[in-house]
Amino acid sequence: MAVNETLTALQVMRDAPVIPVIVLHDVAHAVPLARALVAGGIRMLEVTLRTPQALQCIEAIAKEVPEAVAGAGTIRSAADAQASALAGAKFGVSPGYTRAVGKACHDLGLPLLPGVATGSEIMMAQEDGFTELKFFPAMQAGGLPMLKAWQGPFGDVTFCPTGGVSLANAPDFLALSNVACVGGSWIVPTDAIAKGDWARIETLAREASQLKR
């Protein structure tokens, strides 16, 4: 059964200017964090599969915060995609792209933002039907100049630059015609999560949700 019959990758990207890149070590933090982000205007939440608790966190958000759209980040295999879908993820994000990951997400009906850093990777993802892509790691892979260079040959591709993006440089990325949103961890600081400072995270989310694009 498909995970989602209506949500598309482009809708994920256009919902807000920023998709938070979330790393959670404690399942108890998942629901209050999600509620704080939603209160600040951010609904698309990328919970990265970088910790043993990640899938449980996705499941908790999916079940307890219906206003949020829980997604899974750091999908690196078909098994990751399947486990994420079972946990309740409504979209996926990968740090790179393989046909196995693309096919798994397609078969699951899981909208995917595949990670790309080169023209060849963009072409491979496009061959498999993906036109909404994550540019990662954005700053290390060329940043704004690279995205501007891609506007010509890849004018039909929409990007979400992630990696080194901050409140300071996000407006520059969002001003580009081929950028729909950015991915960033600055709105979910590790120390704020550890302290349960949900008010601070709500404030950061509201600031991010109001960025112009």
Side-chain angles (χ1 to χ4, degrees):
M1 180 182 292
V3 170
N4 198 297
E5 298 294 347
T6 57
L7 188 67
T8 66
L10 190 59
Q11 287 172 326
V12 172
M13 295 172 83
R14 293 205 183 283
D15 197 69
V18 182
I19 296 175
V21 180
I22 303 165
V23 180
L24 287 168
H25 297 275
D26 188 340
V27 179
H29 291 153
V31 168
L33 173 67
R35 287 177 176 153
L37 290 167
V38 168
I42 303 290
R43 298 190 309 149
M44 302 291 167
L45 313 183
E46 178 191 340
V47 179
T48 61
L49 303 183
R50 299 181 191 178
T51 68
Q53 300 81 11
L55 290 169
Q56 287 177 275
C57 292
I58 291 169
E59 187 173 7
I61 293 169
K63 286 182 177 178
E64 299 185 45
V65 193
E67 320 91 86
V69 181
T74 324
I75 291 179
R76 300 192 303 164
S77 65
D80 283 346
Q82 290 159 359
S84 299
L86 283 172
K90 298 300 183 188
F91 67 93
V93 185
S94 59
Y97 180 69
T98 68
R99 294 218 149 108
V101 166
K103 183 179 187 303
C105 290
H106 179 270
D107 291 348
L108 289 161
L110 189 69
L112 175 68
L113 300 182
V116 298
T118 68
S120 296
E121 291 168 355
I122 294 171
M123 290 167 65
M124 184 183 295
Q126 276 194 293
E127 280 182 6
D128 294 344
F130 296 96
T131 55
E132 289 77 40
L133 310 176
K134 168 183 171 177
F135 175 37
F136 177 81
M139 294 303 291
Q140 296 86 343
L144 289 164
M146 183 67 85
L147 284 165
K148 289 177 181 177
W150 281 343
Q151 285 175 330
F154 301 116
D156 54 347
V157 177
T158 305
F159 295 98
C160 171
T162 306
V165 181
S166 66
L167 182 63
N169 62 20
D172 296 328
F173 283 104
L174 292 168
L176 297 177
S177 61
N178 57 347
V179 170
C181 67
V182 299
S185 57
W186 83 87
I187 59 176
V188 284
T190 303
D191 61 331
I193 294 173
K195 294 174 185 174
D197 191 350
W198 312 124
R200 178 184 170 199
I201 287 173
E202 181 180 340
T203 298
L204 290 168
R206 183 168 293 108
E207 189 176 39
S209 70
Q210 293 172 356
L211 288 168
K212 292 182 180 179
R213 44 180 174 169

